[in-house]
Amino acid sequence: MGTDTLRTATADGADPAAERRREQRGWYFYDWACSVYSTSVLTVFLGPYLTSVAESAADADGYVHPLGIPVRAGSFFAYSVSLSVILAVLVMPLVGAAADRSGRKKPLLAAAAYTGAAATTGMFFLDGDRYLLGGLLLVVANAAQSVAMMLYNSYLPQIAPPEERDAVSSRGWAFGYAAGALVLVVNLILYTGHDSFGLSESAAVRICLASAGLWWGAFALIPLRRLRDRRAAARESALPGFRQLAATVRDMRRRPLTLAFLLAYLVYNDGIQTVISQASVYGSEELELGQSTLIVAVLLVQVLAVAGALALGRLARRYGAKRTILGSLVAWTVTLAAGYFLPAGAPAWFFVLAAGIGLVLGGSQALSRSLFSHLVPPGKEAEYFSAYELSDRGMSWLGPLLFGLTYQLTGSYRDAIISLVVFFVLGFVLLARVPVRRAIGDAGNPVPERI
């Protein structure tokens, strides 16, 4: 596989450029399909609702006992997310290697996507004290989402030549944020007006959760119809278990510049993910803002992330992806510094902070994905993107740890939020030191004119 697949006409003589654009349009729609899960389910509804379900099942001391293990009801959601990450870490390298060796990514993408969509739709039955059902569905859906995103990302080097990848990746992120905002608006109308619809609050939440799964499954049909598998070169059979993960790591060690980029990405993405997860805590606890204000801020981030992803994609065409990412890291640093000085009880200023986050969020993520796609050896796209996805989802724990420790030591969420600047400064330094042109050549790929 590689760039030659982009120039190969289809068997019926169709124009390769037209076929490529068709695949790209189909590829965008997977982000449109699955991002609703991240926004409506993980970010807004499931955490508080699953916690309330666990609390209803708790004993007098506030504990639930999954598999006989005492767990505070308030911690059950967080532990379930952690368990899903562990499961994804174990599965992604195996699925990635199998996809590269067989050349059949689409059936694996379909299996992961519909497993996640089915588990999310099943959250409609999460009522009463069924916290174990909720935890199981969350673990399955979240792990399936990670595996599917790894396979989805690995298509990027195959459907877009080097000069198109920044724009294609940015459009994918923009599609995802647009869908997330659209469905979240509908869900919030249903949730806030549940009485007028003749629904209980619990029923409204369960419909919102299930609707994300139905949306995911329905729109996943578009990429599955338009994306196509590439014939894989003959390679050795897949390795079992941790041996495959070890083999992937050994192969990556032969490309230290690719690893250097992954390290930089791990650092600054840890900061990005921590800001996303802790901004609502900062808003509620330090700035004394209500839940409605925080939800509007989430919507604002989603809407502006669409514009931000597209705008940074255009900047990358002019200045190169690396320089644009470096610029976005400077913007993240300035945004956090401004957030430190926000006055309490002033929603307007918090919306300004949300706007700043939204404008750099989508572009930072989209361009990081497209830049990494240049550093992947041909024929190992899924295997390498499994490592990328691990960096994205499985390694983002240092930021929350630093945030929590800073608050514990200082008692100030302002100090905690400003402590995250270190991730963006260190990530900037590490990325600036990566010679991306040489890294692309070392991976065996053509070097774009502007990168």
Side-chain angles (χ1 to χ4, degrees):
M1 288 182 282
T3 57
D4 59 325
T5 59
L6 299 167
R7 298 189 293 267
T8 302
T10 57
D12 59 2
D15 175 33
E19 284 296 304
R20 185 172 76 246
R21 288 191 294 272
R22 183 177 187 274
E23 272 198 283
Q24 289 171 358
R25 288 191 292 268
W27 186 79
Y28 300 148
F29 268 96
Y30 188 74
D31 236 325
W32 175 272
C34 73
S35 292
V36 171
Y37 167 81
S38 299
T39 303
S40 289
V41 177
L42 276 187
T43 304
V44 177
F45 288 110
L46 185 58
Y49 184 69
L50 181 56
T51 299
S52 69
V53 171
E55 287 172 346
S56 69
D59 60 21
D61 297 320
Y63 285 85
V64 290
H65 299 270
L67 304 178
I69 303 170
V71 173
R72 282 195 179 275
S75 300
F76 183 73
F77 173 74
Y79 288 152
S80 298
V81 172
S82 296
L83 183 58
S84 74
V85 171
I86 293 171
L87 179 60
V89 165
L90 295 175
V91 173
M92 277 194 290
L94 305 178
V95 175
D100 287 333
R101 287 187 170 89
S102 66
R104 293 177 57 78
K105 293 180 186 178
K106 194 157 67 168
L108 293 170
L109 175 61
Y114 281 103
T115 297
T120 306
T121 305
M123 292 176 185
F124 178 79
F125 301 102
L126 176 58
D127 60 353
D129 59 358
R130 298 177 178 176
Y131 76 96
L132 275 177
L133 174 64
L136 175 63
L137 293 174
L138 170 57
V139 169
V140 172
N142 221 33
Q145 160 76 331
S146 296
V147 173
M149 281 301 296
M150 174 267 294
L151 293 165
Y152 162 74
N153 287 338
S154 71
Y155 271 101
L156 181 58
Q158 298 178 328
I159 65 171
E163 65 275 9
E164 293 182 3
R165 286 183 201 166
D166 292 339
V168 170
S169 182
S170 296
R171 290 187 198 117
W173 277 105
F175 264 60
Y177 282 117
L182 174 63
V183 175
L184 185 56
V185 167
V186 175
N187 284 342
L188 288 177
I189 291 172
L190 176 65
Y191 174 71
T192 56
H194 60 83
D195 287 335
S196 61
F197 291 107
L199 297 171
S200 67
E201 182 178 358
S202 171
V205 171
R206 290 187 289 114
I207 290 172
C208 291
L209 294 172
S211 69
L214 294 173
W215 178 283
W216 186 357
F219 283 102
L221 289 171
I222 298 174
L224 291 173
R225 283 179 62 86
R226 293 196 172 188
L227 292 172
R228 59 189 179 87
D229 287 328
R230 273 76 174 170
R231 182 178 300 170
R235 295 174 61 185
E236 66 275 14
S237 59
L239 298 170
F242 286 102
R243 289 178 59 195
Q244 178 57 59
L245 179 59
T248 302
V249 172
R250 283 196 302 271
D251 189 74
M252 295 188 73
R253 288 176 63 185
R254 295 199 290 270
R255 295 171 177 84
L257 296 181
T258 298
L259 275 179
F261 172 81
L262 264 183
L263 175 61
Y265 174 73
L266 186 154
V267 171
Y268 68 73
N269 183 64
D270 201 347
I272 291 172
Q273 298 303 321
T274 307
V275 172
I276 293 171
S277 65
Q278 302 302 321
S280 60
V281 175
Y282 183 64
S284 61
E285 299 299 325
E286 184 69 36
L287 304 183
E288 302 171 359
L289 301 174
Q291 183 67 21
S292 61
T293 299
L294 299 178
I295 292 176
V296 172
V298 170
L299 264 176
L300 183 61
V301 168
Q302 293 291 312
V303 172
L304 290 180
V306 177
L310 296 176
L312 265 66
R314 293 190 185 96
L315 286 175
R317 287 202 295 272
R318 181 171 182 179
Y319 299 106
K322 178 182 175 181
R323 288 183 180 179
T324 307
I325 295 171
L326 290 173
S328 77
L329 298 182
V330 173
W332 274 107
T333 302
V334 172
T335 300
L336 285 182
Y340 178 84
F341 295 102
L342 288 186
W349 286 110
F350 189 70
F351 292 150
V352 172
L353 177 68
I357 291 173
L359 288 173
V360 293
L361 174 62
S364 302
Q365 295 172 315
L367 294 178
S368 296
R369 176 171 65 185
S370 62
L371 182 54
F372 182 70
S373 73
H374 294 285
L375 309 180
V376 176
K380 295 190 175 183
E381 291 86 0
E383 195 172 338
Y384 270 60
F385 266 105
S386 70
Y388 181 86
E389 195 70 14
L390 289 177
S391 299
D392 187 14
R393 298 175 185 270
M395 303 299 180
S396 296
W397 57 272
L398 279 174
L401 178 62
L402 177 62
F403 187 92
L405 286 176
T406 304
Y407 177 75
Q408 182 172 326
L409 293 174
T410 66
S412 169
Y413 281 106
R414 294 185 188 274
D415 292 339
I417 202 75
I418 200 67
S419 71
L420 302 179
V421 165
V422 67
F423 290 97
F424 298 103
V425 173
L426 181 57
F428 181 99
V429 172
L430 291 173
L431 178 58
R433 292 169 59 89
V434 178
V436 293
R437 289 185 172 276
R438 182 149 58 91
I440 294 169
D442 288 352
N445 294 317
V447 181
E449 179 179 348
R450 194 177 300 278
I451 190 68

